[in-house]
């Protein structure tokens, strides 16, 4: 009888590895190709970004982003998987991690009173610049596996100390996804423009790195791929 119980348990599939939950190359939008990337480099880059952010002032002050401060330091190569893909004018990344992200903190920093935020770095190459970021919330995936989600489009206009202007646009999804065994993973998908050129003035319209419809389909694909 005991043997029979053990055998039934063996038929229960083990949870999939995190590395199998990120999208494969076949899911990438046209024009994107997988690029070399590793979690260790991601962690190092996040740490430097957080160090630089400590010297940035935000207005309104309560709109200082805090989700990354709690999320990034807990990431390791064992609890996080990464995909990076590049196109001529944009970079796509997907992070899947067993570290639970504070989506409420993301929402507080990008919606409502914080829909438009001004940041002023006081150190580094952007010291003295004025960065205005405007965020617009997009529909979250409707899958029942999504415990919580926030999808936004952001546009930033950076005015440098010499008066020149640099603009960037990004589409970002942060999701808490419940897996079949009950575990919850964070899925973060970002597509950001690669434009680093400067001009004398900001354009009347900042073009996104891909259409909102295409990005929402990409997010749906990521959820469907990771939820089963």
């Amino acid at each position: 009888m005991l043997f029979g119980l053990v055998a039934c348990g063996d038929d229960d599939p083990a949870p999939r590895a995190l590395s199998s939950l990120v999208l494969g190359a076949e899911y990438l939008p046209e024009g994107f190709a997988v690029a070399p990337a590793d979690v260790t480099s991601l962690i190092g880059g996040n740490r430097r970004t957080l160090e630089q952010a400590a010297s940035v002032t935000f207005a309104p002050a309560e709109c200082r982003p805090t989700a990354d401060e709690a999320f990034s330091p807990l990431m390791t190569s064992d609890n996080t998987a990464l995909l990076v893909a590049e196109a001529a004018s944009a970079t796509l990344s997907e992070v899947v991690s067993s570290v639970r992200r504070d989506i409420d903190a993301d929402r507080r920093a990008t919606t409502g009173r914080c829909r438009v935020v001004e940041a002023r770095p006081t150190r580094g190459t952007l010291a003295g610049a004025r960065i205005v970021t405007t965020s617009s919330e997009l529909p979250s995936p409707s899958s029942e596996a999504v415990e919580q989600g926030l999808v936004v489009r952001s546009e930033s206009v950076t005015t440098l100390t010499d008066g020149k202007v640099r603009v960037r646009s990004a589409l970002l999804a942060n999701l808490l996804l419940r897996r079949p065994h009950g575990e919850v993973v964070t899925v973060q998908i970002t597509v950001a423009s690669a434009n680093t050129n400067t001009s004398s003035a900001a354009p009347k319209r900042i073009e996104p790195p891909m259409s909102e419809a295409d990005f929402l389909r990409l997010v749906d694909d990521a959820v469907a791929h990771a939820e089963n």
Side-chain angles (χ1 to χ4, degrees):
M1 189 69 175
L2 181 60
F3 175 80
L5 290 174
V6 172
C8 289
D10 289 344
D11 289 339
D12 191 25
R16 288 165 57 193
L18 287 174
S19 58
S20 72
L21 302 184
V22 296
L23 291 170
E26 68 273 18
Y27 290 96
L28 294 177
E30 185 177 356
F32 283 86
V34 175
D38 63 85
V39 174
T40 300
S41 297
L42 171 68
I43 293 170
N46 286 350
R47 182 175 62 251
R48 290 187 292 274
T49 298
L50 289 174
E51 291 171 351
Q52 293 170 359
S55 64
V56 178
T57 60
F58 291 87
E62 64 268 27
C63 299
R64 172 182 289 276
T66 59
D68 281 325
E69 294 177 2
F71 180 70
S72 295
L74 299 179
M75 294 168 57
T76 69
S77 56
D78 294 324
N79 63 25
T80 302
L82 171 67
L83 164 75
V84 173
E86 295 179 343
S89 59
T91 298
L92 181 157
S93 65
E94 182 186 15
V95 172
V96 177
S97 179
S98 59
V99 178
R100 187 182 181 97
R101 188 176 177 90
D102 187 349
I103 306 294
D104 287 333
D106 284 316
R107 185 175 297 279
R108 287 192 297 270
T110 55
T111 64
R113 179 172 163 81
C114 297
R115 192 181 74 84
V116 180
V117 179
E118 178 183 292
R120 288 185 178 269
T122 60
R123 292 188 309 178
T125 57
L126 288 178
R130 176 175 178 264
I131 306 169
V132 177
T133 301
T134 302
S135 300
S136 304
E137 186 171 0
L138 302 177
S140 289
S142 58
S143 169
E144 293 182 358
V146 177
E147 182 178 291
Q148 195 175 4
L150 177 66
V151 183
V152 297
R153 171 180 171 176
S154 71
E155 298 174 349
S156 66
V157 179
T158 300
T159 304
L160 304 173
T161 54
D162 62 2
K164 292 183 178 180
V165 172
R166 178 185 300 157
V167 300
R168 292 195 71 189
S169 180
L171 297 157
L172 173 63
N174 279 306
L175 313 169
L176 295 179
L177 187 66
R178 186 169 296 280
R179 302 270 300 121
H181 285 261
E183 72 274 21
V184 175
V185 296
T186 297
V187 177
Q188 183 183 71
I189 305 167
T190 306
V191 181
S193 62
N195 180 27
T196 58
N197 297 325
T198 59
S199 59
S200 59
K204 292 182 178 180
R205 172 179 167 79
I206 300 176
E207 294 296 332
M210 68 169 54
S211 73
E212 293 178 2
D214 285 346
F215 181 71
L216 294 177
R217 278 193 291 269
L218 179 68
V219 174
D220 286 339
D221 285 344
V223 170
H225 180 70
E227 69 180 350
N228 297 315

